[in-house]
Amino acid sequence: MKIAVFMGGTSTEREVSLKTGSAVLKSLMRQGYDAYGVDLTSKNLVKSFIENEYDIAFLSLHGGCGEDGRVQGLLDLLGKKYTGSKAAPSAIAMDKIITKKIAGGIGIRIPKTYINKEDIDKFPIVIKPSKEGSSTGLYICKNMEDAEVALEKLSDRSVIIEEYIKGVELTAGVLNGEALGVLKVIPHDGTYDYESKYTEGKTDYEYPAKVSEKVYKNAMRNAKLIHDELKLSGASRSDFILSDDKIYFLEVNTCPGMTETSLLPKLASLKNYTFDDVVKGLLSQSDTK
């Protein structure tokens, strides 16, 4: 069985994807698999999937054109097995606006969302791209002037505008249908932005999260509800804000990072799974498609 680890890509999360792919490739080789890496760029984005020889595509891609269903759809057309969620669930989960509507529809608490700036009735608010991850392009706006600046900077992208809820960020993981646990994110500067996520020493992580049993169970339950409702496969990681003992769903990641600072491996360790166990688990899930 030959495994191609596809990484890189053309999204704003390219560098993170390369780190994920490198770590996954090292794990596969350490476990004795016949694996190699493929660095996707704008020049080889399609032909790499067609011209390379492999039995399974291990997708280590983050963000658009990698996590949004397009690559998955291409692999379906090629009749290739791959890790992670199928095309339609990937596309739905990538859109924060649609995902939050689904979450709200099944009883999960979500922040108030505004259609446009004219609807904003209270500050502060959060403005961010609706189809990107890793907290790229995230703006916390204290007034309309801030909001207009943020919208101008994000004018080339679809955005989501929602109320800012001051609280603690929690994340809960699911692997092959099993809820893993809950982790508390404690950024040193108060905001869990791109730099805090991917710079060693910028953020502390508490796992299992020291929260009430009720909150812990609700976060686990909601993460699995989202995973199941969207018909996700492999791994997913749902992010929440805890405020006044209530948790608010923010988004779900269908291809969570697997770098040295990533959260999914930390969550998996709560079930005594090693990094290699997670990689092997994702690989075994690809055979069920």
Side-chain angles (χ1 to χ4, degrees):
M1 177 176 64
K2 186 179 288 292
I3 304 164
V5 181
F6 292 95
M7 64 186 90
T10 59
S11 80
T12 55
E13 299 175 70
R14 172 178 166 77
E15 294 305 315
V16 182
S17 172
L18 289 172
K19 291 180 180 179
T20 286
S22 177
V24 166
L25 180 58
K26 288 178 182 177
S27 173
L28 289 169
M29 296 178 71
R30 185 166 59 239
Q31 296 184 71
Y33 289 102
D34 180 10
Y36 67 99
V38 180
D39 181 357
L40 297 178
T41 67
S42 59
K43 295 180 180 179
N44 67 359
L45 192 57
V46 175
K47 69 178 182 180
S48 287
F49 291 99
I50 298 172
E51 296 177 357
N52 282 293
E53 292 185 13
Y54 55 95
D55 300 300
I56 296 177
F58 200 114
L59 299 181
S60 296
L61 299 163
H62 307 311
C65 204
E67 200 174 350
D68 62 2
R70 285 180 283 179
V71 163
Q72 291 80 1
L74 173 60
L75 288 165
D76 285 337
L77 288 173
L78 295 173
K80 293 286 191 178
K81 294 180 179 179
Y82 55 92
T83 57
S85 296
K86 295 284 284 182
S90 295
I92 292 170
M94 192 67 194
D95 192 315
K96 295 180 180 67
I97 296 173
I98 294 175
T99 302
K100 287 177 70 177
K101 285 181 179 179
I102 292 172
I106 57 175
I108 295 175
R109 185 180 288 106
I110 59 174
K112 182 176 180 179
T113 302
Y114 301 99
I115 301 300
N116 50 54
K117 68 178 184 180
E118 287 73 27
D119 295 326
I120 300 171
D121 56 12
K122 188 174 77 170
F123 287 92
I125 58 164
V126 175
I127 298 179
K128 58 188 177 182
S130 66
K131 298 180 181 180
E132 292 181 32
S134 288
S135 300
T136 55
L138 182 149
Y139 295 90
I140 297 174
C141 307
K142 298 179 180 178
N143 50 50
M144 185 58 74
E145 184 179 354
D146 288 349
E148 289 175 346
V149 170
L151 290 169
E152 176 62 28
K153 289 182 178 180
L154 297 173
S155 60
D156 60 335
R157 287 175 270 183
S158 171
V159 300
I160 182 170
I161 306 172
E162 62 187 18
E163 66 173 318
Y164 172 73
I165 298 173
K166 186 174 179 59
V168 176
E169 183 155 350
L170 304 177
T171 191
V174 177
L175 179 63
N176 293 345
E178 178 186 14
L180 298 172
V182 184
L183 176 150
K184 182 188 293 185
V185 178
I186 311 171
H188 292 182
D189 67 357
T191 302
Y192 194 43
D193 55 13
Y194 187 92
E195 184 178 359
S196 295
K197 282 189 176 185
Y198 299 114
T199 305
E200 287 281 5
K202 288 279 189 178
T203 302
D204 293 327
Y205 303 101
E206 180 182 280
Y207 54 104
K210 295 177 183 177
V211 295
S212 70
E213 183 179 0
K214 176 184 175 182
V215 166
Y216 199 97
K217 287 183 176 179
N218 279 345
M220 291 263 282
R221 169 184 171 274
N222 288 350
K224 182 160 172 50
L225 272 176
I226 287 290
H227 186 94
D228 293 343
E229 184 71 16
L230 297 185
K231 295 180 172 56
L232 303 181
S233 305
S236 73
R237 204 196 75 236
S238 291
D239 298 335
F240 304 91
I241 286 290
L242 170 63
S243 180
D244 296 328
D245 214 35
K246 297 177 182 177
I247 58 171
Y248 297 78
F249 170 74
L250 298 179
E251 62 183 270
V252 61
N253 303 272
T254 59
C255 190
M258 292 279 282
T259 71
E260 62 273 7
T261 59
S262 293
L263 306 187
L264 185 71
K266 290 179 171 65
L267 288 163
S269 73
L270 296 175
K271 293 291 186 179
N272 295 317
Y273 295 144
T274 66
F275 188 94
D276 287 354
D277 290 334
V278 176
V279 171
K280 189 174 182 178
L282 290 171
L283 195 61
S284 66
Q285 167 268 331
S286 67
D287 284 331
T288 64
K289 287 187 171 66

PDB file of all heavy atoms in Angstrom, residues 147-174:
ATOM      1  N   ALA A 147     -15.159  48.337  12.610  1.00  0.00           N
ATOM      2  CA  ALA A 147     -15.841  47.366  11.753  1.00  0.00           C
ATOM      3  C   ALA A 147     -15.649  47.701  10.281  1.00  0.00           C
ATOM      4  O   ALA A 147     -15.405  46.813   9.451  1.00  0.00           O
ATOM      5  CB  ALA A 147     -17.330  47.325  12.102  1.00  0.00           C
ATOM      6  N   GLU A 148     -15.748  48.975   9.947  1.00  0.00           N
ATOM      7  CA  GLU A 148     -15.583  49.385   8.550  1.00  0.00           C
ATOM      8  C   GLU A 148     -14.162  49.143   8.060  1.00  0.00           C
ATOM      9  O   GLU A 148     -13.944  48.743   6.916  1.00  0.00           O
ATOM     10  CB  GLU A 148     -15.972  50.861   8.408  1.00  0.00           C
ATOM     11  CG  GLU A 148     -17.476  51.086   8.558  1.00  0.00           C
ATOM     12  CD  GLU A 148     -17.859  52.546   8.541  1.00  0.00           C
ATOM     13  OE1 GLU A 148     -16.942  53.403   8.674  1.00  0.00           O
ATOM     14  OE2 GLU A 148     -19.072  52.851   8.396  1.00  0.00           O
ATOM     15  N   VAL A 149     -13.182  49.358   8.934  1.00  0.00           N
ATOM     16  CA  VAL A 149     -11.788  49.081   8.575  1.00  0.00           C
ATOM     17  C   VAL A 149     -11.605  47.581   8.326  1.00  0.00           C
ATOM     18  O   VAL A 149     -10.983  47.162   7.338  1.00  0.00           O
ATOM     19  CB  VAL A 149     -10.824  49.554   9.686  1.00  0.00           C
ATOM     20  CG1 VAL A 149      -9.406  49.038   9.425  1.00  0.00           C
ATOM     21  CG2 VAL A 149     -10.819  51.068   9.772  1.00  0.00           C
ATOM     22  N   ALA A 150     -12.155  46.748   9.213  1.00  0.00           N
ATOM     23  CA  ALA A 150     -12.036  45.297   9.070  1.00  0.00           C
ATOM     24  C   ALA A 150     -12.702  44.810   7.786  1.00  0.00           C
ATOM     25  O   ALA A 150     -12.148  43.989   7.046  1.00  0.00           O
ATOM     26  CB  ALA A 150     -12.653  44.594  10.274  1.00  0.00           C
ATOM     27  N   LEU A 151     -13.890  45.310   7.510  1.00  0.00           N
ATOM     28  CA  LEU A 151     -14.612  44.914   6.305  1.00  0.00           C
ATOM     29  C   LEU A 151     -13.878  45.334   5.047  1.00  0.00           C
ATOM     30  O   LEU A 151     -13.889  44.622   4.038  1.00  0.00           O
ATOM     31  CB  LEU A 151     -16.026  45.503   6.321  1.00  0.00           C
ATOM     32  CG  LEU A 151     -16.981  44.900   7.363  1.00  0.00           C
ATOM     33  CD1 LEU A 151     -18.248  45.726   7.471  1.00  0.00           C
ATOM     34  CD2 LEU A 151     -17.307  43.455   7.004  1.00  0.00           C
ATOM     35  N   GLU A 152     -13.221  46.483   5.098  1.00  0.00           N
ATOM     36  CA  GLU A 152     -12.433  46.940   3.950  1.00  0.00           C
ATOM     37  C   GLU A 152     -11.239  46.016   3.728  1.00  0.00           C
ATOM     38  O   GLU A 152     -10.932  45.647   2.591  1.00  0.00           O
ATOM     39  CB  GLU A 152     -11.959  48.374   4.183  1.00  0.00           C
ATOM     40  CG  GLU A 152     -11.058  48.924   3.089  1.00  0.00           C
ATOM     41  CD  GLU A 152     -11.724  48.995   1.729  1.00  0.00           C
ATOM     42  OE1 GLU A 152     -12.966  49.141   1.669  1.00  0.00           O
ATOM     43  OE2 GLU A 152     -10.996  48.888   0.713  1.00  0.00           O
ATOM     44  N   LYS A 153     -10.563  45.630   4.795  1.00  0.00           N
ATOM     45  CA  LYS A 153      -9.410  44.746   4.675  1.00  0.00           C
ATOM     46  C   LYS A 153      -9.796  43.347   4.197  1.00  0.00           C
ATOM     47  O   LYS A 153      -8.998  42.649   3.579  1.00  0.00           O
ATOM     48  CB  LYS A 153      -8.678  44.650   6.023  1.00  0.00           C
ATOM     49  CG  LYS A 153      -7.949  45.920   6.407  1.00  0.00           C
ATOM     50  CD  LYS A 153      -7.191  45.759   7.717  1.00  0.00           C
ATOM     51  CE  LYS A 153      -6.419  47.030   8.059  1.00  0.00           C
ATOM     52  NZ  LYS A 153      -5.675  46.896   9.346  1.00  0.00           N
ATOM     53  N   LEU A 154     -11.029  42.963   4.483  1.00  0.00           N
ATOM     54  CA  LEU A 154     -11.513  41.631   4.088  1.00  0.00           C
ATOM     55  C   LEU A 154     -12.468  41.716   2.897  1.00  0.00           C
ATOM     56  O   LEU A 154     -13.251  40.795   2.662  1.00  0.00           O
ATOM     57  CB  LEU A 154     -12.217  40.959   5.270  1.00  0.00           C
ATOM     58  CG  LEU A 154     -11.354  40.668   6.498  1.00  0.00           C
ATOM     59  CD1 LEU A 154     -12.213  40.170   7.655  1.00  0.00           C
ATOM     60  CD2 LEU A 154     -10.278  39.640   6.171  1.00  0.00           C
ATOM     61  N   SER A 155     -12.405  42.790   2.151  1.00  0.00           N
ATOM     62  CA  SER A 155     -13.365  43.029   1.075  1.00  0.00           C
ATOM     63  C   SER A 155     -13.303  41.993  -0.044  1.00  0.00           C
ATOM     64  O   SER A 155     -14.254  41.841  -0.810  1.00  0.00           O
ATOM     65  CB  SER A 155     -13.164  44.431   0.482  1.00  0.00           C
ATOM     66  OG  SER A 155     -11.848  44.557  -0.047  1.00  0.00           O
ATOM     67  N   ASP A 156     -12.190  41.277  -0.136  1.00  0.00           N
ATOM     68  CA  ASP A 156     -12.048  40.265  -1.187  1.00  0.00           C
ATOM     69  C   ASP A 156     -12.507  38.887  -0.726  1.00  0.00           C
ATOM     70  O   ASP A 156     -12.361  37.909  -1.449  1.00  0.00           O
ATOM     71  CB  ASP A 156     -10.590  40.189  -1.663  1.00  0.00           C
ATOM     72  CG  ASP A 156      -9.636  39.808  -0.539  1.00  0.00           C
ATOM     73  OD1 ASP A 156      -9.968  40.060   0.639  1.00  0.00           O
ATOM     74  OD2 ASP A 156      -8.560  39.248  -0.838  1.00  0.00           O
ATOM     75  N   ARG A 157     -13.055  38.816   0.488  1.00  0.00           N
ATOM     76  CA  ARG A 157     -13.466  37.532   1.036  1.00  0.00           C
ATOM     77  C   ARG A 157     -14.864  37.598   1.643  1.00  0.00           C
ATOM     78  O   ARG A 157     -15.308  38.664   2.070  1.00  0.00           O
ATOM     79  CB  ARG A 157     -12.474  37.065   2.120  1.00  0.00           C
ATOM     80  CG  ARG A 157     -11.145  36.586   1.576  1.00  0.00           C
ATOM     81  CD  ARG A 157     -10.167  36.266   2.688  1.00  0.00           C
ATOM     82  NE  ARG A 157      -9.382  37.434   3.058  1.00  0.00           N
ATOM     83  CZ  ARG A 157      -8.416  37.410   3.972  1.00  0.00           C
ATOM     84  NH1 ARG A 157      -8.139  36.280   4.598  1.00  0.00           N
ATOM     85  NH2 ARG A 157      -7.731  38.502   4.259  1.00  0.00           N
ATOM     86  N   SER A 158     -15.529  36.445   1.670  1.00  0.00           N
ATOM     87  CA  SER A 158     -16.800  36.350   2.378  1.00  0.00           C
ATOM     88  C   SER A 158     -16.513  36.386   3.874  1.00  0.00           C
ATOM     89  O   SER A 158     -15.573  35.743   4.344  1.00  0.00           O
ATOM     90  CB  SER A 158     -17.499  35.037   2.001  1.00  0.00           C
ATOM     91  OG  SER A 158     -18.628  34.818   2.814  1.00  0.00           O
ATOM     92  N   VAL A 159     -17.317  37.162   4.616  1.00  0.00           N
ATOM     93  CA  VAL A 159     -17.039  37.309   6.049  1.00  0.00           C
ATOM     94  C   VAL A 159     -18.253  36.926   6.890  1.00  0.00           C
ATOM     95  O   VAL A 159     -19.381  36.852   6.406  1.00  0.00           O
ATOM     96  CB  VAL A 159     -16.632  38.758   6.400  1.00  0.00           C
ATOM     97  CG1 VAL A 159     -15.389  39.168   5.632  1.00  0.00           C
ATOM     98  CG2 VAL A 159     -17.780  39.730   6.138  1.00  0.00           C
ATOM     99  N   ILE A 160     -17.976  36.685   8.159  1.00  0.00           N
ATOM    100  CA  ILE A 160     -19.029  36.472   9.137  1.00  0.00           C
ATOM    101  C   ILE A 160     -18.870  37.541  10.207  1.00  0.00           C
ATOM    102  O   ILE A 160     -17.757  37.857  10.629  1.00  0.00           O
ATOM    103  CB  ILE A 160     -18.968  35.055   9.749  1.00  0.00           C
ATOM    104  CG1 ILE A 160     -20.115  34.843  10.745  1.00  0.00           C
ATOM    105  CG2 ILE A 160     -17.613  34.775  10.402  1.00  0.00           C
ATOM    106  CD1 ILE A 160     -20.253  33.390  11.207  1.00  0.00           C
ATOM    107  N   ILE A 161     -20.000  38.146  10.603  1.00  0.00           N
ATOM    108  CA  ILE A 161     -20.014  39.172  11.645  1.00  0.00           C
ATOM    109  C   ILE A 161     -20.834  38.621  12.810  1.00  0.00           C
ATOM    110  O   ILE A 161     -21.995  38.246  12.638  1.00  0.00           O
ATOM    111  CB  ILE A 161     -20.667  40.473  11.137  1.00  0.00           C
ATOM    112  CG1 ILE A 161     -19.992  40.963   9.848  1.00  0.00           C
ATOM    113  CG2 ILE A 161     -20.603  41.554  12.217  1.00  0.00           C
ATOM    114  CD1 ILE A 161     -20.717  42.128   9.185  1.00  0.00           C
ATOM    115  N   GLU A 162     -20.224  38.550  13.974  1.00  0.00           N
ATOM    116  CA  GLU A 162     -20.939  37.992  15.117  1.00  0.00           C
ATOM    117  C   GLU A 162     -20.588  38.740  16.393  1.00  0.00           C
ATOM    118  O   GLU A 162     -19.571  39.444  16.467  1.00  0.00           O
ATOM    119  CB  GLU A 162     -20.621  36.498  15.267  1.00  0.00           C
ATOM    120  CG  GLU A 162     -19.167  36.190  15.524  1.00  0.00           C
ATOM    121  CD  GLU A 162     -18.857  34.699  15.501  1.00  0.00           C
ATOM    122  OE1 GLU A 162     -19.661  33.931  14.958  1.00  0.00           O
ATOM    123  OE2 GLU A 162     -17.790  34.319  16.023  1.00  0.00           O
ATOM    124  N   GLU A 163     -21.440  38.588  17.391  1.00  0.00           N
ATOM    125  CA  GLU A 163     -21.185  39.243  18.671  1.00  0.00           C
ATOM    126  C   GLU A 163     -19.906  38.693  19.299  1.00  0.00           C
ATOM    127  O   GLU A 163     -19.574  37.517  19.134  1.00  0.00           O
ATOM    128  CB  GLU A 163     -22.365  39.029  19.623  1.00  0.00           C
ATOM    129  CG  GLU A 163     -22.580  37.581  20.050  1.00  0.00           C
ATOM    130  CD  GLU A 163     -23.658  37.432  21.113  1.00  0.00           C
ATOM    131  OE1 GLU A 163     -23.689  38.262  22.056  1.00  0.00           O
ATOM    132  OE2 GLU A 163     -24.449  36.485  21.010  1.00  0.00           O
ATOM    133  N   TYR A 164     -19.191  39.557  19.970  1.00  0.00           N
ATOM    134  CA  TYR A 164     -17.990  39.139  20.686  1.00  0.00           C
ATOM    135  C   TYR A 164     -18.398  38.695  22.081  1.00  0.00           C
ATOM    136  O   TYR A 164     -19.029  39.449  22.830  1.00  0.00           O
ATOM    137  CB  TYR A 164     -16.994  40.290  20.783  1.00  0.00           C
ATOM    138  CG  TYR A 164     -15.818  39.991  21.678  1.00  0.00           C
ATOM    139  CD1 TYR A 164     -14.813  39.120  21.274  1.00  0.00           C
ATOM    140  CD2 TYR A 164     -15.711  40.587  22.940  1.00  0.00           C
ATOM    141  CE1 TYR A 164     -13.724  38.841  22.094  1.00  0.00           C
ATOM    142  CE2 TYR A 164     -14.627  40.315  23.763  1.00  0.00           C
ATOM    143  CZ  TYR A 164     -13.646  39.441  23.337  1.00  0.00           C
ATOM    144  OH  TYR A 164     -12.573  39.165  24.152  1.00  0.00           O
ATOM    145  N   ILE A 165     -18.064  37.453  22.403  1.00  0.00           N
ATOM    146  CA  ILE A 165     -18.388  36.918  23.717  1.00  0.00           C
ATOM    147  C   ILE A 165     -17.099  36.771  24.507  1.00  0.00           C
ATOM    148  O   ILE A 165     -16.207  36.002  24.127  1.00  0.00           O
ATOM    149  CB  ILE A 165     -19.106  35.555  23.599  1.00  0.00           C
ATOM    150  CG1 ILE A 165     -20.418  35.733  22.844  1.00  0.00           C
ATOM    151  CG2 ILE A 165     -19.351  34.957  24.973  1.00  0.00           C
ATOM    152  CD1 ILE A 165     -21.126  34.442  22.525  1.00  0.00           C
ATOM    153  N   LYS A 166     -16.998  37.528  25.568  1.00  0.00           N
ATOM    154  CA  LYS A 166     -15.800  37.468  26.398  1.00  0.00           C
ATOM    155  C   LYS A 166     -15.853  36.205  27.249  1.00  0.00           C
ATOM    156  O   LYS A 166     -16.842  35.945  27.940  1.00  0.00           O
ATOM    157  CB  LYS A 166     -15.702  38.700  27.301  1.00  0.00           C
ATOM    158  CG  LYS A 166     -14.401  38.775  28.097  1.00  0.00           C
ATOM    159  CD  LYS A 166     -14.310  40.071  28.852  1.00  0.00           C
ATOM    160  CE  LYS A 166     -13.033  40.164  29.686  1.00  0.00           C
ATOM    161  NZ  LYS A 166     -11.810  40.047  28.862  1.00  0.00           N
ATOM    162  N   GLY A 167     -14.829  35.412  27.151  1.00  0.00           N
ATOM    163  CA  GLY A 167     -14.822  34.179  27.909  1.00  0.00           C
ATOM    164  C   GLY A 167     -13.565  33.375  27.654  1.00  0.00           C
ATOM    165  O   GLY A 167     -12.549  33.902  27.199  1.00  0.00           O
ATOM    166  N   VAL A 168     -13.651  32.108  27.932  1.00  0.00           N
ATOM    167  CA  VAL A 168     -12.524  31.187  27.795  1.00  0.00           C
ATOM    168  C   VAL A 168     -12.746  30.315  26.576  1.00  0.00           C
ATOM    169  O   VAL A 168     -13.860  29.814  26.361  1.00  0.00           O
ATOM    170  CB  VAL A 168     -12.400  30.299  29.054  1.00  0.00           C
ATOM    171  CG1 VAL A 168     -11.288  29.275  28.877  1.00  0.00           C
ATOM    172  CG2 VAL A 168     -12.140  31.155  30.284  1.00  0.00           C
ATOM    173  N   GLU A 169     -11.711  30.129  25.767  1.00  0.00           N
ATOM    174  CA  GLU A 169     -11.855  29.288  24.580  1.00  0.00           C
ATOM    175  C   GLU A 169     -11.608  27.828  24.939  1.00  0.00           C
ATOM    176  O   GLU A 169     -10.604  27.479  25.567  1.00  0.00           O
ATOM    177  CB  GLU A 169     -10.895  29.719  23.473  1.00  0.00           C
ATOM    178  CG  GLU A 169     -11.068  28.899  22.202  1.00  0.00           C
ATOM    179  CD  GLU A 169     -10.625  29.602  20.941  1.00  0.00           C
ATOM    180  OE1 GLU A 169     -10.355  30.810  20.988  1.00  0.00           O
ATOM    181  OE2 GLU A 169     -10.565  28.924  19.894  1.00  0.00           O
ATOM    182  N   LEU A 170     -12.536  26.986  24.521  1.00  0.00           N
ATOM    183  CA  LEU A 170     -12.430  25.543  24.698  1.00  0.00           C
ATOM    184  C   LEU A 170     -12.443  24.872  23.329  1.00  0.00           C
ATOM    185  O   LEU A 170     -13.018  25.410  22.379  1.00  0.00           O
ATOM    186  CB  LEU A 170     -13.603  24.993  25.519  1.00  0.00           C
ATOM    187  CG  LEU A 170     -13.856  25.579  26.903  1.00  0.00           C
ATOM    188  CD1 LEU A 170     -15.108  24.947  27.506  1.00  0.00           C
ATOM    189  CD2 LEU A 170     -12.663  25.342  27.821  1.00  0.00           C
ATOM    190  N   THR A 171     -11.824  23.728  23.242  1.00  0.00           N
ATOM    191  CA  THR A 171     -11.909  22.955  22.001  1.00  0.00           C
ATOM    192  C   THR A 171     -12.078  21.486  22.362  1.00  0.00           C
ATOM    193  O   THR A 171     -11.518  21.010  23.357  1.00  0.00           O
ATOM    194  CB  THR A 171     -10.665  23.180  21.119  1.00  0.00           C
ATOM    195  OG1 THR A 171     -10.894  22.618  19.826  1.00  0.00           O
ATOM    196  CG2 THR A 171      -9.410  22.568  21.717  1.00  0.00           C
ATOM    197  N   ALA A 172     -12.884  20.792  21.582  1.00  0.00           N
ATOM    198  CA  ALA A 172     -13.161  19.381  21.833  1.00  0.00           C
ATOM    199  C   ALA A 172     -12.963  18.592  20.547  1.00  0.00           C
ATOM    200  O   ALA A 172     -13.384  19.033  19.474  1.00  0.00           O
ATOM    201  CB  ALA A 172     -14.588  19.197  22.356  1.00  0.00           C
ATOM    202  N   GLY A 173     -12.321  17.448  20.651  1.00  0.00           N
ATOM    203  CA  GLY A 173     -12.000  16.659  19.469  1.00  0.00           C
ATOM    204  C   GLY A 173     -12.809  15.381  19.355  1.00  0.00           C
ATOM    205  O   GLY A 173     -13.278  14.824  20.350  1.00  0.00           O
ATOM    206  N   VAL A 174     -12.945  14.930  18.112  1.00  0.00           N
ATOM    207  CA  VAL A 174     -13.598  13.654  17.811  1.00  0.00           C
ATOM    208  C   VAL A 174     -12.710  12.910  16.834  1.00  0.00           C
ATOM    209  O   VAL A 174     -12.201  13.490  15.866  1.00  0.00           O
ATOM    210  CB  VAL A 174     -14.998  13.869  17.182  1.00  0.00           C
ATOM    211  CG1 VAL A 174     -15.629  12.533  16.803  1.00  0.00           C
ATOM    212  CG2 VAL A 174     -15.902  14.645  18.136  1.00  0.00           C
TER     213      VAL A 174
END
